[in-house]
Each structure stands twice: as C-alpha cells, then as structure tokens.
Amino acid sequence: MAEIALHALTGVVLAGGQGRRMGGIDKGLVDFAGAPLVTHAVGCLRPHVSEVLINANRHLERYAQLSDRVVADRMLEDGQESYQGPLMGIYSGLCAATTEWVVFVPCDSPALPKDLVPRMVAGLAQKTMDGDKVDIAYAFDGERMHPVVAIVRRELRHDLRRALEQGDRKILRWYEQHAWCQVDMSDCPAAFANLNTEEERLALEAAVTGGQP
C-alpha cells in the first residue's frame, strides 16, 4: 500500500459524550489552558488533514465555530437516541467524511503530540509494507491501548452500521473483526492522558502550562 498523503485525510474530534463523570457537562467546551478543551484536539489535527469535523450532540453552533463541520450522532433505523458512545461517533464521522481514510481523536486528551497524525500514518504504512491490507490502526502507549486515537478506512462504515444495528458498542470488539494494527507511541504515554474529573483537569493543566495561570 502506498503511504497515505496527509492531506488526503479527514480529521474527526469525538466530543459527543455526556460527560457523566464530570457532572454531565459538555467536556469539549471546558476551559483548558485558556481555550476550550476541544480546540487542543483540533489543533493536533488541523495541519495534517483536509478537513476537521467535530462529532457533537449539543452546543452545535459553538462547535461549528471551532471546526469545518459539526457532525451529530446519526440515528439508526430503529430510532435510537444520541449519546450512544464513541463507536457511534466513529460511524458518524466515517459517514460524513469524503476521504478514503479518517483519523479520530478524543476531545478530552489535550496533550496529544503535535506530530500524532504523521506518526499514525507512518505506523500504518510500516505495517502494510509487506503487502498485508490494514483497515484500522490505533495508538498503543506501551501499556495501554487507545482505540479512540485511530485511523480507519472509510469503507468500513457499512460494516460498522450493521454492528451498531445489532447493538454492538465495544470499539475493540469491532476492530478485532477487521485487519488492524497498533501504532507504537510508547515514547510519550503521558500525552494520552484523558480528563474525566475536575481534579484531573487541574493537574494536567498545571503540568502542561508549568503551573502558570
């Protein structure tokens, strides 16, 4: 497989959750180091993709100011409600994208490396040099898997729809049904810290800013 051209990618920030562990707030709009949390994820993607989408289910007008397009969770034929988890966000992003490959990041990991996308693309290309087809690549920090930091081939949206209609909401279980690989990010595990509590937000903000307000 030829290496993916960076600007032949669509970037999607997953911000469609309910933020239950932070009291139900819209995490993507929480302030972090002087800017909405989601903007850090957008900034990670922006230099390397043709378009940045935000998957969100509330405050759509606000998110529209921070991205090229906003994509809400798609409603399946059985009339299921929004807030169906990140796998639904991935499906919605795949449906909205216009490129062959789509790169996903969560809205609540503001320390992601600036070269994340080139590294993910290079990792995927390395795994396919022997001719094997790979449809999904996701980050591995040496200890933990990060399935919401991933590159997914857009053509998988049809299969993912079927999985969602059958009630599947486990990302890794769906990945394992396809040709996947991990991308080694073991040199920067701290970059994948995600924020689920106010305490975590304050601690990571202090670490990122050096304690400066």
Side-chain angles (χ1 to χ4, degrees):
M1 183 191 87
E3 184 173 345
I4 304 168
L6 295 181
H7 289 280
L9 283 164
T10 299
V12 178
V13 181
L14 299 173
Q18 291 179 286
R20 290 177 178 173
R21 285 183 283 182
M22 292 186 76
I25 62 174
D26 194 342
K27 277 203 293 186
L29 298 178
V30 170
D31 181 82
F32 184 89
L37 193 57
V38 71
T39 62
H40 299 275
V42 170
C44 173
L45 297 173
R46 177 67 74 188
H48 309 293
V49 299
S50 60
E51 186 178 28
V52 176
L53 314 182
I54 295 178
N55 165 238
N57 291 304
R58 46 184 165 163
H59 303 122
L60 304 187
E61 292 184 0
R62 180 72 179 101
Y63 281 118
Q65 299 171 1
L66 304 171
S67 64
D68 296 314
R69 283 191 286 148
V70 177
V71 179
D73 283 353
R74 296 175 71 93
M75 184 173 289
L76 301 179
E77 291 179 359
D78 59 7
Q80 293 170 316
E81 298 296 329
S82 296
Y83 301 116
Q84 297 182 62
L87 196 57
M88 176 59 77
I90 290 173
Y91 170 67
S92 302
L94 291 176
C95 289
T98 59
T99 55
E100 180 183 1
W101 292 91
V102 186
V103 56
F104 295 91
V105 296
C107 71
D108 59 356
S109 295
L112 289 172
K114 298 301 183 184
D115 62 348
L116 173 73
V117 176
R119 291 186 62 175
M120 293 292 292
V121 168
L124 178 61
Q126 180 64 39
K127 296 292 185 182
T128 58
M129 284 180 64
D130 60 0
D132 291 339
K133 180 180 179 181
V134 178
D135 294 319
I136 300 168
Y138 66 89
F140 177 65
D141 70 10
E143 293 187 2
R144 297 182 58 193
M145 297 173 287
H146 298 279
V148 292
V149 179
I151 294 180
V152 182
R153 195 185 295 271
R154 182 173 177 261
E155 68 183 31
L156 293 186
R157 66 192 185 280
H158 305 297
D159 181 83
L160 181 50
R161 178 187 176 92
R162 287 189 290 270
L164 289 165
E165 288 176 337
Q166 294 168 6
D168 198 349
R169 296 296 182 271
K170 300 293 186 181
I171 297 179
L172 286 174
R173 185 162 61 195
W174 180 69
Y175 283 2
E176 289 170 357
Q177 299 173 27
H178 301 280
W180 60 270
C181 70
Q182 294 178 342
V183 178
D184 182 15
M185 294 283 183
S186 57
D187 62 313
C188 56
F192 294 88
N194 66 302
L195 308 181
N196 290 307
T197 66
E198 178 64 9
E199 292 74 19
E200 290 175 350
R201 184 189 73 82
L202 292 172
L204 185 57
E205 188 174 54
V208 168
T209 63
Q212 299 299 315

